[in-house]
Amino acid sequence: MAARIYQRPKNAMQSGKARTDEWVLEFEQSEARKADPLMGWTGSGDTQVQVQLTFPTKDAAKVYAGKYGIVARVHATPPKSLKLQAYADNFR
């Protein structure tokens, strides 16, 4: 089983930062998706893709993955940059 560990990004549609400090362990897809012949929906028999585990720290997620033999890749969190600009800068 392969998984990825990442920190949840801030929602672009809202100004709040709820749940951005927790780390997520998410399983990767192990089999290809296929179209259902009757309805045309895509799906697969892999139910691990639906599982998302949250942890307070990156180290806790790594320990869990190591304990259960899950090969996990850690995706680094991009640095947060704040662009301060005044309304008057639009008219320079």
Side-chain angles (χ1 to χ4, degrees), residues 57-77:
T57 63
K58 175 174 58 172
D59 295 328
K62 283 183 181 179
V63 167
Y64 179 86
K67 180 179 176 183
Y68 290 101
I70 301 168
V71 179
R73 292 180 296 141
V74 177
H75 292 269
T77 305

Side-chain angles (χ1 to χ4, degrees), residues 9-77:
K10 181 184 162 304
N11 187 350
M13 301 301 291
Q14 297 182 3
S15 62
K17 297 178 183 174
R19 300 178 69 188
T20 57
D21 56 342
E22 59 188 29
W23 289 81
V24 178
L25 185 139
E26 187 176 69
F27 292 96
E28 294 179 354
Q29 202 165 349
S30 64
E31 67 178 51
R33 292 183 177 263
K34 53 190 173 288
D36 182 66
L38 179 62
M39 297 297 290
W41 297 339
T42 58
S44 70
D46 183 21
T47 58
Q48 287 289 350
V49 177
Q50 301 170 8
V51 177
Q52 276 191 351
L53 303 172
T54 58
F55 297 92
T57 63
K58 175 174 58 172
D59 295 328
K62 283 183 181 179
V63 167
Y64 179 86
K67 180 179 176 183
Y68 290 101
I70 301 168
V71 179
R73 292 180 296 141
V74 177
H75 292 269
T77 305

